[in-house]
Amino acid sequence: MIKIKTADELAAMRIVGRKTATILRKVAAKVAPGVTTQELDEYAAELARKEEGRCAFYGYHGFSGHICSSINEEVVHGVPGRRVIKDGDIVSIDFGLVYGGFVGDTATTVAVGEINPEWQRLLDVTQECLKASIEKAVEGNRLGDISNACQLVAESAGFSVVRDFVGHGIGREMHEDPQIPNYGPAGRGPVLKAGMTFALEPMINLGVHQTQTLNDGWTVVTKDRQPSAHFEHTVAVGKKQAEILTIPESDG
Ligand code: MG
């Protein structure tokens, strides 16, 4: 069942969304050559403590990080550790925060120094995918419209959409109904209603869409080891347009 949030619940989700996005922005700003993913993780934990929030991923099914940090061919769920970030890397950071009884979930992929132009195009297109999906999160549309909008943008740019991981409903729980694939036909699935809240998160690959999970049991990589990008916002379906809930403080 897809929950419809009340005005009070949406207000609480705006607060946690803003905190989540502000922390992600600060952590993303620390990404630089020579920095380890562990350092980013510790910084996220410190910022969450200051906000009196709880990191949603920490301890989730035993996950040891406060963020997911996924570099280059890593798609999602990279475990922070001793890996040192290098010039030319792309670093995806995914962060979830619990505050006031609700969860915010947001991700970005950062280019480190000078990157391959094709990789930059992958980042740009993945952001366009997220934007296209968000534009469909409007009352009266179908869930499949969100999925299809993402797939069209990705595939017309020559990239592929990850099938093995999907977006999700979000609220008091990090993962609520429905599952939201980033691919599939338009005009199918549940009719959207204002007050539904979704974590939309295209994962787009330069090469094939298939993925593998490494022996650590967490880190998901592309099967062909070509790079992958990931951007995510928590959004509320609106009557005329979607509202992005994970907007950082400095954006007003
Ligand atoms: Mg998510």
Side-chain angles (χ1 to χ4, degrees):
M1 191 201 69
I2 307 176
K3 290 182 182 130
I4 310 275
K5 273 70 178 185
T6 64
D8 284 353
E9 288 171 332
L10 286 174
M13 288 192 70
R14 264 177 216 116
I15 292 169
V16 66
R18 180 160 293 225
K19 287 180 187 287
T20 313
T22 303
I23 292 172
L24 180 72
R25 170 174 283 192
K26 287 179 177 169
V27 173
K30 289 274 187 205
V31 172
V35 174
T36 66
T37 52
Q38 178 76 44
E39 289 171 296
L40 299 176
D41 189 73
E42 285 164 7
Y43 186 48
E46 178 195 326
L47 293 170
R49 265 196 306 276
K50 278 190 194 151
E51 291 291 341
E52 300 180 337
R54 181 169 68 75
C55 294
F57 305 165
Y58 182 71
Y60 185 83
H61 293 282
F63 190 74
S64 61
H66 301 85
I67 58 170
C68 296
S69 52
S70 309
I71 301 179
N72 301 339
E73 76 281 2
E74 297 173 354
V75 180
V76 284
H77 305 165
V79 184
R82 277 174 289 189
R83 182 160 177 179
V84 179
I85 293 164
K86 299 195 309 287
D87 198 37
D89 282 343
I90 55 172
V91 182
S92 139
I93 300 167
D94 193 349
F95 181 65
L97 186 78
V98 187
Y99 180 89
F102 287 87
V103 188
D105 192 359
T106 181
T108 190
T109 303
V110 182
V112 185
E114 189 97 352
I115 66 165
N116 179 319
E118 192 63 357
W119 294 28
Q120 183 60 56
R121 198 170 70 85
L122 176 68
L123 299 193
D124 295 343
V125 167
T126 307
Q127 283 181 277
E128 283 172 36
C129 286
L130 177 56
K131 187 163 172 272
S133 286
I134 291 170
E135 282 170 1
K136 296 292 181 185
V138 175
E139 183 160 284
N141 284 348
R142 301 269 189 160
L143 194 67
D145 299 340
I146 291 177
S147 307
N148 186 254
C150 175
Q151 183 176 18
L152 277 181
V153 172
E155 293 183 353
S156 39
F159 299 134
S160 69
V161 178
V162 169
R163 265 72 166 157
D164 301 334
F165 301 88
V166 297
H168 48 93
I170 184 168
R172 291 188 187 275
E173 305 294 331
M174 181 159 65
H175 295 124
E176 297 186 349
D177 284 342
Q179 293 203 347
I180 309 171
N182 294 301
Y183 61 94
R188 306 265 183 89
V191 176
L192 305 182
K193 295 203 176 73
M196 291 177 172
T197 45
F198 299 151
L200 301 180
E201 49 176 326
M203 291 149 258
I204 307 298
N205 295 349
L206 191 85
V208 300
H209 73 77
Q210 286 88 352
T211 67
Q212 290 178 338
T213 303
L214 297 184
N215 288 334
D216 64 10
W218 283 106
T219 310
V220 175
V221 297
T222 54
K223 197 166 182 209
D224 60 7
R225 303 301 193 265
Q226 294 249 60
S228 182
H230 181 208
F231 288 85
E232 177 179 26
H233 273 306
T234 299
V235 308
V237 174
K239 287 207 185 287
K240 292 248 161 58
Q241 59 175 18
E243 177 184 357
I244 300 175
L245 300 172
T246 40
I247 292 191
E249 259 153 36
S250 47
D251 280 5

